[in-house]
Amino acid sequence: MTHVLSMLVENHQGVLSRIAGLFSGRGYNLESITAGITTDPQITRITLVCSGDDNVISQIKKQLNKLVDIIKVTDLTQVPSLHRE
């Protein structure tokens, strides 16, 4: 099942590469990743789509929360939302 995860991260160099490295190092599949600055220029929102069962997604969220520059991780899979390409 595909899951949509949204993160608020500190706007520093290398944060996106650390997140991608976490996924590649553990063999998780990233289907889509998007990043953009929020209204606060110190914070960036990263939205990613990954596949896996609930145990894998739970493990991904735990690993992401361990990264220093991550402020908050939210699973948007069950939230009604509009998906575009």
Side-chain angles (χ1 to χ4, degrees):
M1 179 177 178
T2 49
H3 290 263
V4 179
L5 298 176
S6 177
M7 295 173 279
L8 292 175
V9 300
E10 295 178 14
N11 192 9
H12 295 256
Q13 292 179 349
V15 174
L16 188 59
S17 66
R18 274 185 248 134
I19 292 169
L22 183 142
F23 276 80
S24 66
R26 289 171 176 71
Y28 301 138
N29 188 26
L30 258 177
E31 294 182 16
S32 172
I33 189 165
T34 305
I37 297 174
T38 61
T39 55
D40 181 3
Q42 301 297 320
I43 297 176
T44 299
R45 178 178 302 278
I46 298 176
T47 305
L48 54 90
V49 178
C50 54
S51 57
D53 60 3
D54 290 335
N55 293 331
V56 170
I57 300 303
S58 174
Q59 187 66 30
I60 289 172
K61 289 193 292 189
K62 288 176 187 175
Q63 293 294 325
L64 286 171
N65 280 320
K66 287 182 182 179
L67 294 177
V68 174
D69 295 324
I70 304 282
I71 298 169
K72 183 179 178 182
V73 177
T74 307
D75 191 354
L76 299 177
T77 305
Q78 301 301 326
V79 177
S81 58
L82 176 66
H83 298 270
R84 297 183 190 178
E85 288 191 23

